[in-house]
Amino acid sequence: MKRINILSVRFALEETVLVFVTGAVLYFAIETVWRGYSHISMALLGGLCFLSLYLLGRFFPNMPMLLYCILGGVVISLLELGAGEIINLRLGLDVWDYSSLPLNFRGQICVLFSFFWCLLCMPANVLARFMRTRIFGCSE
């Protein structure tokens, strides 16, 4: 039977929480500056998105930036679609609605914002790499 080092589990939990909270706070702030307001669900989605980007870079540290941004944009768009289906369509909170934008799907995702997510992946990658190497001591 394999033994689990409780210190490494605690460290992984602390790392996960700090990365999630960083993404939540930063995305809430970005959206507040962009739209003038945000919703708590966007902080939760932002945390999940940043954690996903963090893990993408951790598992594939040598991935070219262009590929990272494209994959990151796809991941964020899929998370946004899932969240939109629950938050906007099922719960009726109407936090966002892209139905007036071209090439949207059910008003929850659209090509324009998927492109924005790809662009946002560049600074997210820099921050995630800084956190992995300088804060958590992971080698790249």
Side-chain angles (χ1 to χ4, degrees), residues 24-127:
V25 169
L26 287 176
Y27 187 76
F28 191 87
I30 289 168
E31 186 169 57
T32 300
V33 168
W34 179 266
R35 293 191 335 166
Y37 63 94
S38 191
H39 187 270
I40 190 65
S41 62
M42 294 298 86
L44 298 175
L45 182 57
L48 184 59
C49 288
F50 186 61
L51 181 59
S52 299
L53 295 175
Y54 181 90
L55 293 173
L56 182 65
R58 186 167 190 186
F59 291 125
F60 303 101
N62 299 317
M63 182 183 298
M65 181 64 85
L66 179 61
L67 181 58
Y68 177 88
C69 290
I70 292 169
L71 287 176
V74 168
V75 167
I76 293 170
S77 295
L78 291 173
L79 289 170
E80 184 179 38
L81 176 61
E85 289 288 328
I86 296 167
I87 294 165
N88 295 325
L89 301 180
R90 292 212 179 126
L91 297 178
L93 295 178
D94 297 322
V95 176
W96 72 91
D97 183 2
Y98 299 142
S99 60
S100 65
L101 296 173
L103 301 172
N104 75 81
F105 181 72
R106 296 172 49 93
Q108 303 311 299
I109 58 173
C110 68
V111 172
L112 178 63
F113 275 82
S114 292
F115 174 73
F116 289 157
W117 305 146
C118 290
L119 292 179
L120 195 59
C121 285
M122 284 186 262
N125 179 273
V126 172
L127 177 59

Side-chain angles (χ1 to χ4, degrees), residues 1 8 15 17 20 22 32 56 97 111 116 131 138 140:
M1 178 178 265
S8 66
E15 180 180 4
V17 169
F20 182 89
T22 299
T32 300
L56 182 65
D97 183 2
V111 172
F116 289 157
M131 291 179 77
C138 299
E140 295 269 323

